[in-house]
Amino acid sequence: MKHLVNLFNTTRKWSLALGLSAVSGLSLSPGLVGFMALGSIGLSSQVMAQDEALVIYSSRKEPLIKPFLDAFSKETGIKITLYTGKDGALIERIKSEGASTPADILMMADAGNLGYAASQGLFSPMQSPILEKNIPAHLRDPQNLWTGLSIRARTLVYSTERVKPSELSTYEELADPKWQGRLCLRSANTVYNKSLIASQIAHNGEAKTEQMVNGWVKNLAAKPFAKDAEVMSAILANRCDVGIVNTYYFGQEMAKQPEAKIALFWANQDSTGTHINVSGAGVIKHSDQKANAQKLIEWLSRDPAQTLYSEANFEYPANPNFAVSPQIAAWGEFKADTLNLGKVAQLQENAVRLMQKAGLQ
């Protein structure tokens, strides 16, 4: 039976490889076209699938992950086929493919996404002393279904022309009336805000968190934006004075505009610490390459991958034994929240209901 499943998986992998031809304009059967259309997932790697190759579904964009995978393949000889797509589409695709899925690994940003994938039964537990040694427990799923591999903080960003750092302190303080008409936020639809609110619920309870979000809504200078980059653009355009963004988006913005008059402020340093989250990965339950899949995830938890996360992506290494790049070091050290991200994943629905009740769009 396993032989038949493996044979079918191999066929699926070759079918996915044929998707490369689809990109090149060759004709495909209607069935294969429909298969490729499912979930609007794109083929992002030029590596031809082979029976022993790893297949990765990733919601992280190709430039953020392909350099790591190329380095792994060069070191180990294990070939990789990478497909990128939206978080929800990838999860639904793996669910629909069931036992015949060609995917061996699912990579996603944010514990909220990873936790949801785990709740849908997509992952197989990883028993890995290497991951337990390299990645702190609060950045891993309590049942070892997924692990964080890189960190970003979600913290305050402000205009250095109109705000003094002494005016800033916490996420909760942004609900104060002194920020009325001065606050910009990203939409409540983003998982990044869901996770931030979930962490606040875990620390402060729903009533206090709702009070905070109500204050944020009253202080908004503009309708919530679709992207973190738009929050920073609004601050630079004098539409607002302060916002909340992920640190790697700030790093990308400063790489484009080194003289931009914005800066980061580390929130909640006298209490819980600044909210952090991860990009991470899990081994697919129906993978026929579980050993190599875990080998890749373990490889990503050490050098050179951990160094690349910092130097190439403006992210913090999840492995505390690695230093950050000089660009990130310039932002200063901060106290990070050590709340287990598994708890953040569990409270996603509570966070959504709370933001809807408070009217945060």
Side-chain angles (χ1 to χ4, degrees):
M1 184 64 181
K2 178 64 176 175
H3 172 72
L4 293 175
V5 170
N6 287 342
L7 177 62
F8 193 62
N9 276 341
T10 300
T11 304
R12 300 285 280 191
K13 290 183 179 184
W14 277 103
S15 298
L16 285 165
L18 287 173
L20 181 61
S21 299
V23 175
S24 302
L26 298 182
S27 61
L28 297 170
S29 68
L32 184 54
V33 169
F35 173 70
M36 291 302 298
L38 180 61
S40 300
I41 297 170
L43 177 61
S44 298
S45 174
Q46 305 299 305
V47 183
M48 181 66 77
Q50 298 178 359
D51 190 25
E52 73 276 14
L54 285 174
V55 175
I56 298 176
Y57 286 4
S58 172
S59 66
R60 307 215 77 191
K61 295 180 180 178
E62 180 179 342
L64 295 178
I65 192 64
K66 191 170 184 296
F68 302 78
L69 305 182
D70 289 345
F72 173 78
S73 292
K74 184 177 180 180
E75 180 177 313
T76 65
I78 298 173
K79 297 185 181 301
I80 293 171
T81 302
L82 171 66
Y83 301 90
T84 59
K86 299 291 186 182
D87 301 297
L90 290 169
I91 290 171
E92 292 306 314
R93 179 167 181 162
I94 295 172
K95 288 168 62 177
S96 70
E97 291 169 344
S100 64
T101 183
D104 300 302
I105 293 175
L106 177 61
M107 291 184 169
M108 312 185 88
D110 203 283
N113 288 325
L114 291 161
Y116 178 69
S119 74
Q120 298 304 296
L122 302 192
F123 293 140
S124 175
M126 294 179 286
Q127 303 303 326
S128 171
I130 294 175
L131 291 175
E132 291 175 8
K133 176 185 176 184
N134 290 347
I135 307 297
H138 67 282
L139 305 179
R140 292 184 277 114
D141 175 66
Q143 282 74 50
N144 296 316
L145 294 170
W146 53 264
T147 181
L149 294 168
S150 64
I151 294 173
R152 70 282 202 279
R154 190 157 186 80
T155 193
L156 314 189
V157 60
Y158 66 96
S159 166
T160 56
E161 297 180 308
R162 301 184 299 279
V163 177
K164 296 178 181 178
S166 59
E167 297 179 80
L168 301 166
S169 58
T170 65
Y171 304 107
E172 296 93 323
E173 196 268 344
L174 290 181
D176 189 279
K178 78 177 185 181
W179 297 110
Q180 189 168 12
R182 303 173 67 189
L183 175 65
C184 281
L185 294 175
R186 185 168 174 171
S187 166
N189 291 329
T190 179
V191 71
Y192 307 143
N193 278 347
K194 295 174 187 175
S195 290
L196 171 61
I197 297 304
S199 72
Q200 292 297 297
I201 292 172
H203 286 306
N204 302 324
E206 294 211 12
K208 286 187 177 180
T209 304
E210 183 180 342
Q211 184 178 2
M212 177 190 74
V213 178
N214 279 329
W216 288 1
V217 172
K218 291 177 182 176
N219 289 342
L220 286 175
K223 184 178 178 180
F225 296 97
K227 299 179 180 178
D228 280 15
E230 293 175 333
V231 171
M232 290 181 282
S233 294
I235 294 173
L236 291 170
N238 295 344
R239 295 182 64 186
C240 51
D241 295 337
V242 63
I244 300 175
V245 297
N246 280 356
T247 44
Y248 66 85
Y249 287 119
F250 177 80
Q252 293 170 4
E253 185 68 26
M254 296 307 288
K256 293 185 294 185
Q257 301 188 70
E259 306 302 322
K261 303 297 184 185
I262 53 175
L264 293 176
F265 181 88
W266 301 117
N268 295 52
Q269 293 302 280
D270 294 329
S271 54
T272 57
T274 298
H275 170 66
I276 61 169
N277 212 304
V278 293
S279 70
V283 176
I284 298 300
K285 179 173 64 178
H286 295 297
S287 168
D288 58 356
Q289 301 277 336
K290 284 189 174 72
N292 278 343
Q294 183 166 314
K295 183 176 183 179
L296 170 56
I297 293 173
E298 291 170 342
W299 184 89
L300 290 169
S301 73
R302 59 178 175 82
D303 209 21
Q306 288 294 297
T307 301
L308 274 173
Y309 277 121
S310 179
E311 294 180 348
N313 292 358
F314 301 108
E315 295 176 288
Y316 292 88
N319 186 331
N321 293 319
F322 290 90
V324 298
S325 67
Q327 293 92 336
I328 293 179
W331 303 342
E333 296 183 353
F334 69 99
K335 172 185 171 183
D337 191 350
T338 57
L339 176 69
N340 191 292
L341 291 177
K343 186 67 175 178
V344 169
Q346 290 174 8
L347 292 171
Q348 295 283 302
E349 291 185 8
N350 302 62
V352 170
R353 285 197 298 271
L354 189 151
M355 288 190 286
Q356 289 175 339
K357 186 177 179 181
L360 182 62
Q361 299 180 355

